[in-house]
Amino acid sequence: PRHVPVAFDDLDPHRVPDGGPGPAVVPTDRATAAERARWHTLWRDAVALLDRAAPERAAELSALLRCVVPLRTPAAGLVAATLPDAFGAAFASRPATALDLAATLVHEIQHSKLAAVLDLVPLHRAGPEARHWAPWRPDPRPFGGLLQGLYAHLALAGLWGRVAALHGPEQRVAWDAHARCWAQVGAVLPALVHAPELTPEGREFAQAMADAYARLPAYPGALGPRARAAAEV
């Protein structure tokens, strides 16, 4: 697809609101020329990878993403975030590889899409209590956070499988990432489909996620990684 320009915002003093989505979401100072060049290379290669592996995800980025806000890299590694009130913006520290950037962008666009849906249609009636297990997090999640995480990890399971099927140098990493997301989503999705907190529209949405999960290909190369990931989850 033809890609529209995406801003790299390291200047706006209000690009991350006070308090932000969390203490790890801290904007960088103005990037040096060398840092901008590194981001540009990562962006170019990430978009090229998505064009090859998942053109529909590349088309989504082209249609929805308008701004990348660089964040400081925390001690724990990569951090990324989406703000519901900043549709079209992705907040991320600089990843190590173009593959990591591609996955990060897909992940954050999923959050933006679902936030927009939730602005229009109530999908659940749950409160903010963090009491739900999410296998991709060490801490309990509110129901809304669980729904967001499932939606994002379902997309990642599909993306990583498509990347692995390219038989590139990152295939083993991609199979493991695909299997991990596949197992994580599969462990939680059946309960969510029948959750009493869902509205009728939410049940329809959850069933559509379950249908998409069932359509994920049974890649021969993923059988071993999927078995290990399911055991770990």
Side-chain angles (χ1 to χ4, degrees):
R2 177 182 176 273
H3 293 282
V4 300
V6 172
F8 180 81
D9 187 1
D10 59 342
L11 294 177
D12 187 338
H14 305 293
R15 59 194 182 276
V16 176
D18 292 340
V25 180
V26 180
T28 63
D29 297 327
R30 185 172 185 178
T32 64
E35 180 68 3
R36 281 176 170 266
R38 284 191 285 268
W39 269 100
H40 183 270
T41 299
L42 285 169
W43 171 264
R44 179 197 64 202
D45 294 345
V47 169
L49 176 63
L50 288 174
D51 280 340
R52 297 197 315 275
E56 73 283 359
R57 298 296 180 190
E60 279 190 344
L61 287 185
S62 185
L64 302 178
L65 188 65
R66 292 294 176 268
C67 177
V68 173
V69 177
L71 302 176
R72 294 181 187 173
T73 301
L78 180 67
V79 64
T82 301
L83 299 180
D85 294 333
F87 186 85
F91 301 75
S93 57
R94 177 167 55 82
T97 68
L99 182 56
D100 290 335
L101 179 57
T104 297
L105 294 174
V106 168
H107 188 136
E108 299 310 320
I109 284 295
Q110 288 294 98
H111 287 324
S112 282
K113 286 161 53 184
L114 186 50
V117 170
L118 289 166
D119 268 351
L120 300 171
V121 182
L123 298 182
H124 66 87
R125 305 183 187 90
E129 300 84 6
R131 58 186 183 86
H132 297 276
W133 173 67
W136 50 85
R137 295 273 301 232
D139 52 338
R141 304 295 292 148
F143 189 87
L146 183 68
L147 183 63
Q148 278 280 8
L150 271 171
Y151 189 57
H153 282 78
L154 177 59
L156 289 176
L159 173 66
W160 287 113
R162 299 275 286 275
V163 170
L166 292 177
H167 303 289
E170 60 281 308
Q171 186 180 47
R172 182 171 181 178
V173 170
W175 278 141
D176 287 343
H178 160 80
R180 183 170 59 252
C181 293
W182 174 86
Q184 289 169 340
V185 172
V188 180
L189 188 54
L192 183 115
V193 169
H194 300 289
E197 295 93 338
L198 293 172
T199 64
E201 295 84 0
R203 285 195 294 275
E204 183 178 355
F205 189 90
Q207 186 59 54
M209 285 198 293
D211 293 343
Y213 180 77
R215 290 195 300 269
L216 288 174
Y219 299 108
L223 294 180
R226 280 186 177 186
R228 290 192 296 272
E232 290 170 4
V233 168

